Amino acid sequence: MKTEKIYSAGIDIGTSTTKMVVSSFLLKNVAGITHVPRIEIIEKKVLHQSPIIKTPFINHEIIDMAKIEQFIFQQYQLAQISPAEISTGAIIITGESATKENASEVIHAISDSAGHFLVATAGPDLEGIIAAKGAGTVQQSKNTAKVIANIDIGGGTANIAVMQFGEVIGTCTLHVGGRLIEFHNGRIQSISPPIKKLMGKWSHPLQLGDSASDARVAQLIQELVSTLVKTLNGQLTDEHHPLLLGHLPNWVKPVDAIVFSGGVASCIYENDCTQRQYDDIGESLAKMLVQHEQLQSFLWLQPEETARATVTGAGMQTTEISGATIQVDEDVLPLKNVPVFNCHMNTATKAFDETVKMAVERADALFSTQGNRSPFALYFSELPYLSFHDVHALGEAILQHLATRCSKEIPIIIVIQSDYAKIIGQTIQAINSTVPIICIDQIKVETGDYIDIGEVLPSGVVPVVVKTLAFHSK
């Protein structure tokens, strides 16, 4: 079979820096000619890496969207790719930038104008996972039994993703970053709110205008690193700790090895902070991480990417390809931010109607807000062997509990792990040809994941971005 090339873009708007990658994916049917087609990505290639620019702001609370758009379109020109040619990828806004007043407006406006993006509005958990993929840590963990923590330290946050055998087993995010304190002319120019809160227990906290060489600056950095070490060791138990962003560390296995990525990592591994031309605590933070005695008790591994880990992960590692035997209503694509509910099928009884009914009720309770029903995807992970009669019964059950509530805005969305999507989708449409349906397969998800489904490619597959918020590993 001929190969098919698609283009992907990743854009990372972080606390300190913004960067972009443009990549190409080569798709090919890897199944034999007598087998069901299986389209896979056989090659990923970076076509263009942007320079790393300082994230532009109009003021302390508003991101300069015009300058970011200008930067993105310049990069497309340099890559000799038009935005219309981009069929997948992710634009993410990370760290402190995600807290700005117009963060949501920026990410959605750019995703609409800069290509057929599958938007990933990353929360801190997802950021950590994307960075771990971009740094190559997920792949490293597939080759070893060791529990590895990827710590992506940027300007505002340290996003920790812990993995083993290629599966993420936990995450945690801390307010630990290079720009939490900024200097100007040797004096403190700004202090971030979490740091002010942390110093609230100090008798003499740092103030604006204090010297950059004040001993309390080193004391503060020491406290940041100590909190990171406690987190890695599972000893951070205070859910109200001022440096904690979100939940406490949720992995149960002890960490064996650590990998640093993010802007601060270039100061750690390369002893080179040329990519961080900022007057802040980033370089001192990197030095203290390297010198910290307890951190040295972990095995240190090298990342494949440092400052570009997140954007590389966003551009190259988020996309999966559906099976080729799918049934989709192209008019309702692309779909973004669809939550997933796992419909466990009882293989002994095949009680399709009761099982689907319960799953729909539970998904409605989980995802609907204030009585407004939201679209969700039902995921059938372990379907048993289905006879023609079984497929018809399952199709009728799906229609019975979803048809009356569906519309172009809320289509029936079915995700199947095995190769049943086309026969189930066609059966549903044979019973009721008026319902919009998206029925895709060969995708592995779980309850709590969110998926974006792109437009149909010439090979008949659809790109899928799985935004994993729950953890698959035990």
Side-chain angles (χ1 to χ4, degrees), residues 20 22 48-51 53 66-81 83 114:
M20 176 175 175
V22 179
H48 175 71
Q49 279 189 331
S50 77
I53 65 164
K67 285 188 177 176
I68 288 183
E69 282 189 310
Q70 182 184 24
F71 167 74
I72 289 168
F73 288 110
Q74 281 176 347
Q75 302 313 309
Y76 276 136
Q77 286 183 343
L78 292 169
Q80 298 183 322
I81 297 286

Side-chain angles (χ1 to χ4, degrees), residues 11-12 89-95 107 118-135 138 150 152 157-163 168 170-173 245-247 250 261 309-315 317-320 337 448-452 465-472:
I11 301 168
D12 176 16
I91 172 171
I92 62 175
I93 192 161
T94 58
I107 198 166
L118 307 177
V119 180
T121 49
D125 286 343
L126 183 59
E127 288 172 30
I129 295 168
I130 289 174
K133 288 180 176 179
V138 172
N150 191 88
D152 189 80
T157 56
N159 301 93
I160 305 167
V162 179
M163 60 219 69
V168 177
T171 58
C172 186
T173 299
L245 174 59
H247 57 79
N250 52 10
S261 61
T310 304
V311 73
T312 300
Q317 305 292 336
T318 54
T319 299
E320 296 184 28
N337 297 319
D449 288 349
Y450 281 70
I451 56 173
D452 299 338
V465 173
V466 180
K467 294 179 278 192
T468 303
L469 303 180
F471 305 113
H472 298 160

Side-chain angles (χ1 to χ4, degrees), residues 194-225:
I195 297 302
K196 289 179 182 174
K197 192 173 179 183
L198 180 72
M199 293 190 300
K201 61 187 178 183
W202 292 15
S203 56
H204 299 290
L206 289 163
Q207 303 291 337
L208 299 185
D210 284 345
S211 170
S213 58
D214 190 304
R216 290 171 295 172
V217 174
Q219 178 189 344
L220 174 72
I221 298 172
Q222 177 70 45
E223 191 158 348
L224 298 183
V225 177

Side-chain angles (χ1 to χ4, degrees), residues 62 65 93 100-112:
I62 298 179
M65 187 162 63
I93 192 161
K100 303 306 180 189
E101 286 181 10
N102 63 337
S104 178
E105 179 189 354
V106 167
I107 198 166
H108 288 104
I110 293 176
S111 71
D112 288 339

